[in-house]
Amino acid sequence: MATAIKPLSTYNGPTQLLIDGQWREAVSGKRFNTLNPATGEIITSVAEADKADVDLAVKAARKAFEEGPWSKMTATDRGRVLSKLADLIMEHRDELAELETMDNGKPISDSRNVDVPLVADCIEYYAGWANKVHGETIPVPGPFLNYTLREPIGVVGQIVAWNFPMLLAAWKLGPALATGNTVVLKPAEQTPLSALRLGELCLEAGIPPGVVNVLPGFGPTAGSALVTHPDVDKIAFTGEYLTGQTIMREAAGTLKRISFELGGKSPNIVFADADLDAAVAGSLMGIFWNQGEVCCAGSRLFLQESVYDQFMDKLVGQAGKMKVGDPMDPSTQIGALISEDHLNKVLRYIDIGKAEGAKLRTGGDQPTKRGYFVNPTIFDGVNDSMKIAREEIFGPVLSVIRFKDMDEVVPRANNTFYGLAAAVWTRDVGKAHAMARKLKAGTVWVNTYNVISSLSPFGGYKMSGFGRELGVHALESYTQVKSVWVSLPN
């Protein structure tokens, strides 16, 4: 650790459940602790929702959808409310950034300069869509007028992951609210605080009671109750694929609409004709940004053999200079992993990599025993069959793999049941476009990595999920189409 971690000020934000515009304790009276990953210390305790609380929140959301002012509000007015929410998010930028870093462990520079601005941008983007979602007229044969209505689905359960707590919530809240749905949001139990504060800002912005309900809790209780509730019309989930499989099984009884953004083992492919310095920088950011706790992280780095050694020397040298430490220090590049359990999981994968015969070039250890930190880790000599090349580690661990040419690397890059993202580094524009078509991934970056915009869709192929977040395509996940036929006189 380059700098000592300073204790944070006492947390004074909301810790209760937000149901129907009111802050309340769980019906059971239970609470659970949320920890600061940089120290392992308790920040505060929050109310623990379970089935009874989910039922209350769903009833409030249903009433707000069927009877409340949200369903009667014009689309333009809904957009104005969302725009106000975006403004409030930016007004509270520093507070929200500190809250996110305190509860998640990510560097404050990322929280302040990336996460919070992207949250506000996402909400503002969908504010603009609120009055632009409409149907169409269809020139059907016969004496009929046929037109479609694009309507909200209803009550939406949204379950988000802990790696980008507030941003993932915004990705789901924005299109859901813009299209007139009501929401029950379950943040990850590891990171409930920013979602609760966001719920508070929703009320301040003028979103009516019952439209946004926030229920901290655990997956087997609160999450399962939300998925199986007969009056929830849709589930949107971000997390690991095993949980996604459980949700699909549990949702089958009510045939809910589902959209998933799940994990990844994304290939990052560097050809010999690439700008190697840019590719080194992009590869470091692709795996070590947010401590590698990124579903689209470039965790499999494919290097063309003619530049392999040169590239590796640069990569390892720069990785060793990255600053790991106090997430509240603006100069920190790699913060703390989310929890002790996750730290131990990442360390187990590092041990597996060593046992499998991969060569540890840098990192693989903890810079301190206080908090949940791992130094940036790079494995050399990795082959496609190793666990560290096939399983999602979700930490700052990079597997580097040699390849000969394009024909060889494409099937190897696609040889995974994931398909969230991929990247290609080359100066050959034809090769870049050819690779973009051949790679089985929902996002393909060319000569860059981890570029995200509210305007552009994001989602996966295969076991990385289905449905799309962001852009106009996300609106499809939160609306349904009604066809209206009107008989016309001859």
Side-chain angles (χ1 to χ4, degrees), residues 385-460:
S385 65
M386 292 180 177
K387 280 191 175 184
I388 60 170
R390 301 197 65 80
E391 298 181 9
E392 186 177 38
I393 300 173
F394 221 62
V397 181
L398 178 63
S399 296
V400 187
I401 306 167
R402 291 177 185 264
F403 76 93
K404 294 180 181 178
D405 55 33
M406 184 168 70
D407 290 340
E408 178 205 348
V409 77
V410 168
R412 294 175 66 192
N414 288 334
N415 185 21
T416 171
F417 61 63
Y418 292 113
L420 190 56
V424 178
W425 298 82
T426 178
R427 287 188 173 97
D428 184 333
V429 66
K431 186 189 297 180
H433 287 296
M435 289 291 294
R437 285 181 176 274
K438 292 177 180 180
L439 291 168
K440 295 177 181 178
T443 295
V444 178
W445 290 292
V446 177
N447 295 330
T448 189
Y449 209 99
N450 275 337
V451 180
I452 303 285
S453 168
S454 299
L455 285 69
S456 181
F458 183 82

Side-chain angles (χ1 to χ4, degrees), residues 24-209:
R24 54 178 297 162
E25 291 295 326
V27 171
S28 67
K30 292 181 180 178
R31 296 178 74 86
F32 66 95
N33 294 330
T34 184
L35 306 182
N36 177 358
T39 64
E41 296 171 348
I42 296 171
I43 302 170
T44 188
S45 68
V46 298
E48 179 184 335
D50 58 21
K51 188 177 185 297
D53 307 290
V54 168
D55 191 55
L56 290 172
V58 171
K59 286 178 180 177
R62 176 58 62 188
K63 182 177 180 182
F65 180 74
E66 302 291 351
E67 305 172 16
W70 195 244
S71 57
K72 298 175 182 177
M73 189 180 294
T74 68
T76 297
D77 286 342
R78 279 203 310 272
R80 290 191 179 113
V81 172
L82 289 176
S83 187
K84 174 62 175 175
L85 175 59
D87 290 342
L88 285 171
I89 290 166
M90 288 308 291
E91 286 178 21
H92 294 274
R93 178 178 180 171
D94 289 343
E95 172 202 346
L96 291 169
E98 180 171 324
L99 188 60
E100 199 78 326
T101 289
M102 176 173 61
D103 208 17
N104 169 271
K106 66 177 61 195
I108 188 67
S109 58
D110 289 343
S111 296
R112 182 181 294 124
N113 300 320
V114 180
D115 291 51
V116 176
L118 285 178
V119 169
D121 179 75
C122 180
I123 299 298
E124 185 66 46
Y125 172 76
Y126 286 108
W129 266 113
N131 61 2
K132 300 174 185 67
V133 178
H134 50 72
E136 58 195 351
T137 58
I138 302 172
V140 297
F144 304 101
L145 168 64
N146 178 242
Y147 64 92
T148 62
L149 300 173
R150 187 167 283 275
E151 300 178 335
I153 292 175
V155 176
V156 178
Q158 301 182 329
I159 304 172
V160 299
W162 46 257
N163 55 329
F164 293 92
M166 192 163 36
L167 184 58
L168 295 176
W171 283 15
K172 290 173 170 52
L173 286 171
L177 297 177
T179 50
N181 297 280
T182 57
V183 171
V184 179
L185 173 68
K186 193 201 87 65
E189 61 268 22
Q190 298 90 341
T191 52
L193 299 183
S194 60
L196 291 170
R197 184 68 177 106
L198 193 59
E200 197 170 43
L201 293 178
C202 285
L203 296 177
E204 186 177 342
I207 294 176

Side-chain angles (χ1 to χ4, degrees), residues 225-236:
L226 195 55
V227 170
T228 58
H229 200 290
D231 213 19
V232 172
D233 301 299
K234 171 186 165 58
I235 293 291

Side-chain angles (χ1 to χ4, degrees), residues 147-486:
Y147 64 92
T148 62
L149 300 173
R150 187 167 283 275
E151 300 178 335
I153 292 175
V155 176
V156 178
Q158 301 182 329
I159 304 172
V160 299
W162 46 257
N163 55 329
F164 293 92
M166 192 163 36
L167 184 58
L168 295 176
W171 283 15
K172 290 173 170 52
L173 286 171
L177 297 177
T179 50
N181 297 280
T182 57
V183 171
V184 179
L185 173 68
K186 193 201 87 65
E189 61 268 22
Q190 298 90 341
T191 52
L193 299 183
S194 60
L196 291 170
R197 184 68 177 106
L198 193 59
E200 197 170 43
L201 293 178
C202 285
L203 296 177
E204 186 177 342
I207 294 176
V211 174
V212 175
N213 305 273
V214 184
L215 302 185
F218 295 85
T221 49
S224 181
L226 195 55
V227 170
T228 58
H229 200 290
D231 213 19
V232 172
D233 301 299
K234 171 186 165 58
I235 293 291
F237 170 73
T238 297
E240 66 172 353
Y241 81 93
L242 292 171
T243 306
Q245 291 174 327
T246 299
I247 288 173
M248 285 197 76
R249 287 190 291 266
E250 292 187 347
T254 52
L255 291 179
K256 288 177 173 59
R257 295 269 293 273
I258 300 175
S259 58
F260 284 147
E261 195 268 281
L262 306 175
K265 194 68 179 177
S266 299
N268 184 25
I269 303 165
V270 180
F271 287 95
D273 63 356
D275 179 335
L276 297 187
D277 289 335
V280 167
S283 298
L284 290 170
M285 196 268 284
I287 184 59
F288 297 133
W289 179 51
N290 208 59
Q291 302 74 247
E293 296 171 329
V294 181
C295 48
C296 57
S299 53
R300 289 186 296 151
L301 176 59
F302 287 88
L303 297 181
Q304 198 160 21
E305 57 186 9
S306 63
V307 295
Y308 188 96
D309 293 336
Q310 175 188 357
F311 195 98
M312 280 296 296
D313 288 343
K314 291 184 177 185
L315 187 75
V316 170
Q318 291 190 29
K321 297 176 183 177
M322 298 184 76
K323 183 175 180 180
V324 183
D326 183 357
M328 287 295 177
D329 183 340
S331 65
T332 292
Q333 295 170 283
I334 299 178
L337 297 177
I338 187 65
S339 67
E340 184 176 12
D341 284 346
H342 189 58
L343 167 69
N344 291 333
K345 173 190 171 183
V346 171
L347 292 174
R348 281 196 301 272
Y349 270 108
I350 292 171
D351 288 340
I352 288 169
K354 295 175 185 176
E356 288 181 317
K359 181 181 179 182
L360 182 64
R361 291 289 299 270
T362 189
D365 57 345
Q366 298 173 253
T368 177
K369 292 299 181 182
R370 185 186 188 215
Y372 314 131
F373 297 87
V374 173
N375 283 318
T377 301
I378 298 175
F379 278 105
D380 195 354
V382 178
N383 65 57
D384 299 334
S385 65
M386 292 180 177
K387 280 191 175 184
I388 60 170
R390 301 197 65 80
E391 298 181 9
E392 186 177 38
I393 300 173
F394 221 62
V397 181
L398 178 63
S399 296
V400 187
I401 306 167
R402 291 177 185 264
F403 76 93
K404 294 180 181 178
D405 55 33
M406 184 168 70
D407 290 340
E408 178 205 348
V409 77
V410 168
R412 294 175 66 192
N414 288 334
N415 185 21
T416 171
F417 61 63
Y418 292 113
L420 190 56
V424 178
W425 298 82
T426 178
R427 287 188 173 97
D428 184 333
V429 66
K431 186 189 297 180
H433 287 296
M435 289 291 294
R437 285 181 176 274
K438 292 177 180 180
L439 291 168
K440 295 177 181 178
T443 295
V444 178
W445 290 292
V446 177
N447 295 330
T448 189
Y449 209 99
N450 275 337
V451 180
I452 303 285
S453 168
S454 299
L455 285 69
S456 181
F458 183 82
Y461 285 24
K462 300 186 283 186
M463 296 289 277
S464 289
F466 48 82
R468 290 295 179 266
E469 311 266 24
L470 304 177
V472 62
H473 299 279
L475 300 172
E476 299 167 5
S477 295
Y478 292 97
T479 55
Q480 51 196 348
V481 177
K482 178 185 291 180
S483 179
V484 181
W485 290 77
V486 181

